[in-house]
């Protein structure tokens, strides 16, 4: 029985980063009395590393969070400094939205959104212990001894658990930007039987923009297209440019000469870092034949001269950093304002979680964000909204809400986390998604808004706008079924260098021509005057890639026949037809479905066949 209870809530969210912000908003918007606890109110939605939202595959995650009714996209649109569509010259499967955002505005807007949210209280405190009874969450206890009762907890502590920054030989127990670390919660998690790991990430120095010679850098303007993350928001404008530059051989040589002072090579760092975001010293040692490396200068805010030097993260000593940064062309007189550092922190083994992000050992205990071993704001926000939704469903005894790998990048992310042994910070990439042509940036709302509305996070107003978009799409497709005579098509075909035809063609067939787009058809035949470009762009992609999309859908339909088959509690060691490795892996991971079992390294197609036979013999199919 819990004693000395200060107040009772339906749910408590620990941590106010991107995962915690989405989790507490989801819970409170779904009608649950929620408490958000944070070590520091000034760290709410803090952009500790790059002040940007989106990027390759990450743009899709942000769009999916928005489509489900989350806040990241809305907040990003409020604070954009520059916005671009990455890989616009490549196919739509790998195109992703990315925005440089104002870190001050982003934090303030999200903090204000949380403060105004009904059913949500915010408290600056440190949660020291998660309280359970009969393996179910019943409350939390703070470091000051206050107790708050609840039915569910979402742990979203980011990189703050026992965090330590490293700059050369200097170490300090602190979180990002000098914020206090969480020093008690790791022990509580271990007491609950949760496996703890030690990961590492890092960040570049911030330099004074007034001391940069921008003439030695290539300007990188934003796109002139009307772009935004949120389907409910207005289009945003570019305010400030970014810049492209390169390292130098002098810098490389200097780093090699002093590599023994790098904590990564001296053994000072013990945490496992992200493979896809190495420090500059690691890049230079691993890619010794490369003469130079790209770097980007990115503004942090309209309200500061600080510039983020993307591509040059480091944990070198301060004096080494001063010299090596000065060897970058254009940085000859540069002044460092904040030194680069590495940060080590505790996280959990996400195999401890079900596919709804709930602990397998403790009912009502959910985890989201970097504590699950991921890297990135977008991955955190995606887990946060899913954990919040599922915590609400746990409280109300509803079935879990789980997205499949063919429905969303969020589905790929959570499936990977809960079925694969993640041994380094996980970063979402388009290559991780087997159905990425279907999981595009331009159709996030088409894929998920209906689900978000059913859950209760997408407002009726937003849903009405979405239905209007669907109506516009249907209207466009209907118009494109109209046929045009060869004489009507001749001017357009000649203009675009297409072979003339002797037969009438539908406008849809015309758009399938290599050199013709829906925008060419719009201009030539004076069509779609009141249809937004975003709708036309979506239709154009659907038509151009119709054959490939059809093949992916057929593959999905084929796989779904077996992927969604649930797996009950099974002692896999008793199934003689399974290989020894498969028995061990299946007993370790305890997959919820055949689809999850397929994702486990070491489980072969023949093992899946054995499982299906076993289920049939046991009358479980």
């Amino acid at each position: 029985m819990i004693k000395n209870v200060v107040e009772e809530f339906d749910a408590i969210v620990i941590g106010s980063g991107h995962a915690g912000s989405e989790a507490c908003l989801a819970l409170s918007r779904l009608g649950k009395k929620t408490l958000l606890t944070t070590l520091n109110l000034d760290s709410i939605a803090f952009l500790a590393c790059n002040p940007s939202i989106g990027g390759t595959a990450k743009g899709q995650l942000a769009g999916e969070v928005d489509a489900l009714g989350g806040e990241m996209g809305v907040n990003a649109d409020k604070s954009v400094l520059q916005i671009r569509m990455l890989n616009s010259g490549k196919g739509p499967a790998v195109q992703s939205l990315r925005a440089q955002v104002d870190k001050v505005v982003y934090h303030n807007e999200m903090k204000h959104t949380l403060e105004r949210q009904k059913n949500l209280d915010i408290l600056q405190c440190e949660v020291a212990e998660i309280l359970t009874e009969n393996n179910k969450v019943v409350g939390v206890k703070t470091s000051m001894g206050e107790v708050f009762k609840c039915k569910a907890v979402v742990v979203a502590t980011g990189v703050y658990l026992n965090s330590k920054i490293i700059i050369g030989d200097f170490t300090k127990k602190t979180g990002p930007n000098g914020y206090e670390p969480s020093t008690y919660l790791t022990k509580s998690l271990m007491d609950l039987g949760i496996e703890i790991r030690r990961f590492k990430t890092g960040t570049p120095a911030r330099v004074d923009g007034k001391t940069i010679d921008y003439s030695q850098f290539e300007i990188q303007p934003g796109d002139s297209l009307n772009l935004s993350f949120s389907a409910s928001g207005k289009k945003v404008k570019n305010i400030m440019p970014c810049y492209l530059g390169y390292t130098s051989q002098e810098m490389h040589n200097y780093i090699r000469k002093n590599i023994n002072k790098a904590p990564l090579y001296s053994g000072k760092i013990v945490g496992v870092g992200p493979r896809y975001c190495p420090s500059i010293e690691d890049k230079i040692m691993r890619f010794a034949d490369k003469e130079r490396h790209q770097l980007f200068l990115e503004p942090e805010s309209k309200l500061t001269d600080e510039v983020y030097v993307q591509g040059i993260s480091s944990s070198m000593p301060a004096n080494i950093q001063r010299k090596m940064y000065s060897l970058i062309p254009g940085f000859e007189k540069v002044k460092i304002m904040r030194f680069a550092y590495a940060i080590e922190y505790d996280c959990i083994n996400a195999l401890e979680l079900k596919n709804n992000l709930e602990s397998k050992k403790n009912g009502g205990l959910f985890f989201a964000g970097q504590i699950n071993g991921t890297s990135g704001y977008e991955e955190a926000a995606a887990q946060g909204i899913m954990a919040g939704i599922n915590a609400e469903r746990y409280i109300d005894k509803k079935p879990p809400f789980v997205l499949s790998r063919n429905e969303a990048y969020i589905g790929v992310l959570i499936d990977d986390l809960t079925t694969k042994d993640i041994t380094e910070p996980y970063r979402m990439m388009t290559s991780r998604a087997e159905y990425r042509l279907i999981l595009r940036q331009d159709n996030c709302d088409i894929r998920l808004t209906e689900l978000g509305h059913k859950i209760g996070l997408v407002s009726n107003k937003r849903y009405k706008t979405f239905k209007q978009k669907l109506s516009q799409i249907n209207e466009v497709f209907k118009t494109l079924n109209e046929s045009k005579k060869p004489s009507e098509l001749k001017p357009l075909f000649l203009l675009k260098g297409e072979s003339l035809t002797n037969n009438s063609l539908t406008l849809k067939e015309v758009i399938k021509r290599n050199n013709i787009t829906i925008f060419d058809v719009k201009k030539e035949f004076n069509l779609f005057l009141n249809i937004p470009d975003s709708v036309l762009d979506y239709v154009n992609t659907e038509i151009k890639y119709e054959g490939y999309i059809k093949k992916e859908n057929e593959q999905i339909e084929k796989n779904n026949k077996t992927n969604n088959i649930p797996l009950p509690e099974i002692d896999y060691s008793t199934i003689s037809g399974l290989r020894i490795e498969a028995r061990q892996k299946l007993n370790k991971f305890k997959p919820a479905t055949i689809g999850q079992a397929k994702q486990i390294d070491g489980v072969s197609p023949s093992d899946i066949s054995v499982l299906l036979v076993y289920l049939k013999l046991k009358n479980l199919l």
Side-chain angles (χ1 to χ4, degrees), residues 26 33 103 116 166-167 257 288 335 339 351 404 408 433 467:
K33 184 182 177 185
K103 69 188 301 179
R116 289 176 296 172
I166 304 166
I167 304 174
K257 181 180 177 181
K335 297 283 187 180
F339 286 106
L351 294 177
S404 66
K467 296 297 281 187

Side-chain angles (χ1 to χ4, degrees), residues 9-11 21 23-36 111-122 457:
F9 293 86
D10 291 315
S21 295
C24 71
L25 283 172
L27 279 158
S28 55
R29 287 170 175 173
L30 291 173
K32 297 306 169 194
K33 184 182 177 185
T34 305
L35 173 66
L36 173 65
K111 183 172 183 285
H112 195 37
T113 297
L114 298 182
E115 289 171 343
R116 289 176 296 172
Q117 179 59 46
K118 183 182 177 182
N119 298 321
L120 179 60
D121 288 357
I122 306 172
L457 288 179

Side-chain angles (χ1 to χ4, degrees), residues 142-192:
T142 73
S143 57
M144 293 187 289
E146 290 197 315
V147 173
F148 296 91
K149 195 174 179 181
C150 65
K151 301 168 187 173
V153 166
V154 178
V155 183
T157 48
V159 299
Y160 286 84
L161 284 186
N162 286 330
S163 54
K164 176 177 71 173
I165 66 162
I166 304 166
I167 304 174
D169 289 331
F170 173 79
T171 63
K172 185 177 181 180
K173 292 183 178 180
T174 180
N177 203 46
Y179 292 130
E180 288 296 313
S182 175
T183 56
Y184 300 99
L185 194 57
T186 293
K187 181 181 182 303
S188 178
L189 295 176
M190 292 174 68
D191 290 343
L192 292 173

Side-chain angles (χ1 to χ4, degrees), residues 6-24:
V6 175
E7 194 171 353
E8 183 172 351
F9 293 86
D10 291 315
I12 294 174
V13 177
I14 305 172
S16 65
H18 307 282
S21 295
E22 295 292 351
C24 71

Side-chain angles (χ1 to χ4, degrees), residues 129-147:
E129 185 179 356
I130 295 169
L131 306 176
T132 62
E133 291 179 0
N134 300 318
N135 297 320
K136 291 186 177 180
V137 164
V138 293
V140 303
K141 187 177 183 179
T142 73
S143 57
M144 293 187 289
E146 290 197 315
V147 173

